[in-house]
Amino acid sequence: MPLSNVAHEPQAVWEALQAGNQRVIDGTIMDLNKIYEREGLTKGQDPRVVVLACSDSRAPIEHIFNIGFGDAFVIRTAGHILDASVLASLDYALDHLHPNLLVVLGHQSCGAVAAAVDFVRGGELPIGLQRPIIEKVATSAWTAGPDATLADVERQHTLQTVTQVVASIPNVRKQLDDGSFGIVGARYLLEDSRVEPLYSYGVELTRGARLADPGASTT
């Protein structure tokens, strides 16, 4: 069902996204394009969720959650790194679109994470325009430790991104505190299309994930 039919509550939005992902896993995807009123989209947008994700072509957000037009305000960068334009886009969404949930979505086999791990463990740092991406992700690789697997670093990088968002955008903490907004950090598995919930604030996770305050220290 379209997210526009979901209650304006962080928990309800997250559960709808989980249900959509389960449809993908089960092979029972709904053709949402047939039930969306396209003409109405010209009058404005009312997304229930903001998704900050990696730009990887193998992880299309609307497909992962089986959602459609107008359901999600999506921001994608390589390695879901943050910069001024990303933070401004998030702040705009909170100020003007009033979503109920932010999902920070990493993914399995992330190239940016793999490059950062290689650099931290003795490889060369790329030069040119790609360098800042690896430098930003390298912080997560260092924090995860020398024995961490690639999956461990992907999870750590998701937590680092959540923490940075909370610390950088005053609107996020304000809306988290009043209960109108929640955050989920998760990881998409390319091998079976499953979304692995990792961390949350203001939302109760399922599938065995652990709760974590993204405002807490990650060291």
Side-chain angles (χ1 to χ4, degrees):
M1 102 180 132
L3 290 187
S4 59
N5 294 341
V6 175
H8 277 283
E9 300 171 355
Q11 190 68 42
V13 175
W14 173 239
E15 289 175 2
L17 291 173
Q18 284 198 304
N21 180 240
Q22 192 62 51
R23 291 194 297 272
V24 175
I25 296 169
D26 295 341
T28 57
I29 295 174
M30 296 172 59
D31 186 358
L32 297 176
N33 293 337
K34 293 182 178 179
I35 60 176
Y36 277 77
E37 296 181 6
R38 295 289 297 274
E39 185 177 348
L41 296 174
T42 65
K43 300 173 183 177
Q45 57 176 320
D46 182 28
R48 294 288 190 272
V49 61
V50 177
V51 181
L52 173 58
C54 180
S55 299
D56 196 294
S57 63
R58 299 167 293 177
I61 302 307
E62 284 80 6
H63 174 75
I64 289 171
F65 292 111
N66 191 206
I67 56 178
F69 301 107
D71 279 340
F73 186 88
V74 180
I75 306 167
R76 300 181 70 175
T77 61
H80 56 81
I81 64 167
L82 299 176
D83 60 18
S85 63
V86 172
L87 293 172
S89 297
L90 285 168
D91 193 50
Y92 164 81
L94 292 174
D95 248 355
H96 297 279
L97 305 179
H98 311 294
N100 301 107
L101 186 68
L102 167 66
V103 176
V104 176
L105 188 66
H107 68 91
Q108 183 181 36
S109 302
C110 179
V113 171
V117 169
D118 179 68
F119 162 62
V120 167
R121 296 179 181 175
E124 293 187 5
L125 183 65
I127 60 175
L129 295 176
Q130 298 176 38
R131 182 177 181 131
I133 296 173
I134 308 307
E135 290 177 330
K136 287 178 179 289
V137 182
T139 302
S140 299
W142 275 311
T143 302
D147 298 323
T149 64
L150 183 60
D152 292 334
V153 180
E154 289 164 353
R155 296 182 183 105
Q156 178 63 36
H157 185 50
T158 298
L159 177 57
Q160 294 277 31
T161 302
V162 170
T163 303
Q164 291 167 22
V165 166
V166 175
S168 302
I169 305 177
N171 254 340
V172 170
R173 176 56 72 177
K174 179 174 179 277
Q175 294 185 35
L176 285 171
D177 289 344
D178 69 22
S180 64
F181 187 68
I183 299 178
V184 171
R187 176 171 167 262
Y188 175 61
L189 304 184
L190 303 179
E191 61 193 16
D192 61 9
S193 295
R194 182 170 60 91
V195 172
E196 173 190 22
L198 299 172
Y199 317 98
S200 76
Y201 193 100
V203 176
E204 182 178 349
L205 299 178
T206 58
R207 298 180 184 171
R210 57 189 179 277
L211 295 171
D213 182 348
S217 172
T218 61
T219 58

